[in-house]
Amino acid sequence: MNILLKIELKKIRIYHFNNGTNGGTFSVVKNLLKYSQNPQIENHVIYTINKEVATNFSISPLEGAASQNVFYYSPKWNFYYTCKQLAKLLPDVNAIVVAHDWLELGMVSTMGIQNPVVHFVHGNYDYYYDLASKHERSTDQFITVSPVIYNKLCLIIPQRKKDIHYCRFPVPECLIAKKKNKILQIIYCVRSLEDENKQFKILPQINAKLKLKGIIVYWTIVGEGIAIEKIQAWMEQQVGISLLPFLLNEDVINLLPKFDLFILPSLLEGFPVSVVEAMKAGVVPLVTNWQGATEELIISGETGFYFKPGDVDGYSDKIDLLNADRKLLNQLSEKGKERSNKLFDPYVNSKKIEVILVNANICVKKIKKPFKVYGSRLDHPLLSNLAVTMARKFQFYFFRLFLNSHF
């Protein structure tokens, strides 16, 4: 009886890897931990930080995390050495590796580790599909965050279709503020304003169209890379514009309820967490129809509106409509809240994802052979890390000398 009890209570250790960014990927990890539904699961987080970029990464308390560790690495290191050091943070072969980016996938392939591996595919970009394809032999299960990503990945690696899952991620409910904005409040929230995919450049054009119609709105622009003076000049509006730096996810959630409209005219997305968060706060989304990625959530004319890329007239016309028809605005807001809360319930969705993670540990094990995906001839198990690092530093030094002498 005691032996059976010990088996039942044995912890299932899950290790999430994160590259240190605080975007949508980290929101998924954070919410999975916070709303964990399986008491046997023990969640751990490992932050993989490129020390050439960030030398002082700080960890914030993360609800539901049994441990959090920071792993610093250098791109100049012998990649085999990097993987070997990173693998030391896993306690044994039963720990479940949840990969969200490239380094941890590089580790499992290079080392041929036998741990169960679940790969979260977060974006509808070639980058994410290449990762999945390159490391397919080392991966036990795939979790995709949108139907579009699921369908594409099934086409790319059809032999693994039974191991590919579409799961809605968990998103917490949002406290709703009663909005009585006489002037429409619009929020645009990205990491970098210079990111061409996010299409910040069309916001001044939309604003110019609105001004021609005699409509003034208040813009809040969250992101980094462009000075407020430039934005004010481009928007031709010295008042009614707030520029905030890139914010932590919880700060954005606290900010959202005061807004009427959430605008994201980006060219391509997987399934932005920020859209769901906005709708849960009663903010109506005006977004691109990213190949149908969000079609189960945003129903045009019912819970928000879709636009073709660069459709400046379309955006300005719908803002004009919602500015004039506040009853319609409120209807869209209410239906959006209802639908987003139903589809993205944090408890229900966390439970479904955890079932897949746990099943990765009990499915039929396959022997995983090591294979090289990244690196050059210097990235070899028989070469010392010191020698490889010094060689790469000298390569960089002589390359700089060559450039300075020839250009």
Side-chain angles (χ1 to χ4, degrees), residues 105 119 121 127-137 139 142 153 157:
L105 288 170
H119 178 196
V121 185
Y127 172 79
Y128 289 101
Y129 297 123
D130 286 345
L131 281 182
S133 182
K134 286 176 180 176
H135 300 280
E136 175 263 323
R137 283 182 281 166
T139 305
F142 300 87
L153 193 58
I157 47 174

Side-chain angles (χ1 to χ4, degrees), residues 211-320:
K211 289 181 72 176
L212 287 174
K213 296 172 183 280
I215 299 169
I216 300 296
V217 298
Y218 285 165
W219 295 91
T220 295
I221 296 166
V222 181
E224 296 176 336
I226 303 176
I228 182 64
E229 294 79 14
K230 281 189 176 181
I231 292 174
Q232 287 174 334
W234 292 342
M235 301 288 275
E236 297 181 347
Q237 187 172 316
Q238 299 304 310
V239 294
I241 297 178
S242 297
L243 178 64
L244 301 175
F246 180 74
L247 300 173
L248 295 176
N249 178 253
E250 51 267 30
D251 294 326
V252 174
I253 290 175
N254 291 333
L255 190 66
L256 282 170
K258 76 173 188 177
F259 292 96
D260 300 295
L261 303 176
F262 174 93
I263 187 168
L264 188 59
S266 47
L267 300 175
L268 196 61
E269 298 283 352
F271 201 132
V273 179
S274 57
V275 171
V276 185
E277 291 168 340
M279 293 178 70
K280 286 200 169 199
V283 188
V284 177
L286 307 179
V287 301
T288 311
N289 188 358
W290 301 293
Q291 299 179 2
T294 57
E295 64 184 9
E296 64 180 357
L297 177 65
I298 303 174
I299 301 170
S300 197
E302 291 186 24
T303 61
F305 288 105
Y306 288 117
F307 305 89
K308 293 179 180 179
D311 186 7
V312 173
D313 288 331
Y315 280 105
S316 62
D317 288 345
K318 283 297 183 287
I319 294 171
D320 182 5

Side-chain angles (χ1 to χ4, degrees), residues 19-120:
N19 62 10
T21 56
N22 278 303
T25 299
F26 184 64
S27 295
V28 172
V29 174
K30 181 183 71 173
N31 292 328
L32 269 176
L33 270 60
K34 182 176 181 179
Y35 297 100
S36 177
Q37 297 296 291
N38 189 334
Q40 285 184 268
I41 286 177
E42 186 180 88
N43 281 300
H44 303 261
V45 181
I46 297 173
Y47 301 94
T48 54
I49 309 299
N50 182 342
K51 68 177 187 175
E52 308 290 331
V53 177
T55 56
N56 188 25
F57 179 78
S58 60
I59 297 177
S60 299
L62 201 56
E63 185 177 344
S67 75
Q68 297 185 80
N69 286 298
V70 180
F71 176 77
Y72 289 101
Y73 70 95
S74 169
K76 294 185 178 70
W77 287 357
N78 181 337
F79 190 68
Y80 183 85
Y81 171 83
T82 301
C83 295
K84 188 175 180 180
Q85 298 307 306
L86 183 57
K88 288 179 180 179
L89 297 178
L90 298 173
D92 54 48
V93 294
N94 294 314
I96 300 170
V97 173
V98 183
H100 296 273
D101 210 339
W102 76 277
L103 186 63
E104 57 270 26
L105 288 170
M107 171 192 71
V108 299
S109 296
T110 300
M111 302 297 296
I113 66 171
Q114 302 303 304
N115 298 66
V117 177
V118 179
H119 178 196
F120 255 93

